[in-house]
Amino acid sequence: MAENDNFNNVEDAGELGTVVLTLDDDTELTCEIVAVYPAGDKEYIALLPDDDSEEVLIFRFVDNGTDDPEIENIDDDDEYEMAADAFDEMLDEIEFDEEDEEDED
């Protein structure tokens, strides 16, 4: 599933690898791994499709101890909102940190 299991922060996006999703119609969609991050008591993965879409896809991330972790759909609206909010907060923190570094220069 994943070509690179070194998932740890959004700043390394593009270096984290790719995932190929099989859609309901059996077509495949290659996605760049943007981040794997915790929210609540679970982990989530943010993916950016290679189809020129600007929409980030968020799934539940399950590290099953193998080289092929699993990603699962998030069916619960509240859980999805929590995962999306955590991703947005992570992006905000990175943007804030980058602004701080620019101010120091």
Side-chain angles (χ1 to χ4, degrees):
M1 181 181 311
E3 292 178 8
N4 180 346
D5 61 0
N6 182 24
F7 317 119
N8 50 18
N9 71 52
V10 104
E11 293 176 26
D12 293 333
E15 297 176 15
L16 298 178
T18 59
V19 171
V20 178
L21 301 177
T22 302
L23 305 179
D24 290 337
D25 63 0
D26 289 329
T27 59
E28 292 185 341
L29 178 63
T30 301
C31 298
E32 185 176 305
I33 300 168
V34 177
V36 173
Y37 60 96
D41 61 348
K42 297 180 181 165
E43 286 192 305
Y44 297 90
I45 186 169
L47 305 173
L48 183 63
D50 284 348
D51 65 358
D52 296 328
S53 170
E54 293 185 16
E55 181 178 352
V56 172
L57 307 175
I58 297 176
F59 294 91
R60 191 177 309 115
F61 178 82
V62 180
D63 185 356
N64 54 17
T66 69
D67 288 338
D68 277 334
E70 296 178 29
I71 59 173
E72 301 174 344
N73 286 327
I74 303 170
D75 296 324
D76 181 75
D77 290 341
D78 291 335
E79 180 184 359
Y80 182 84
E81 193 147 331
M82 177 193 63
D85 287 347
F87 180 70
D88 288 341
E89 287 175 22
M90 185 173 49
L91 291 178
D92 289 344
E93 286 178 28
I94 289 169
E95 185 177 317
F96 179 77
D97 289 344
E98 287 175 355
E99 287 175 5
D100 264 1
E101 288 175 10
E102 288 175 7
D103 289 344
E104 291 175 6
D105 291 337

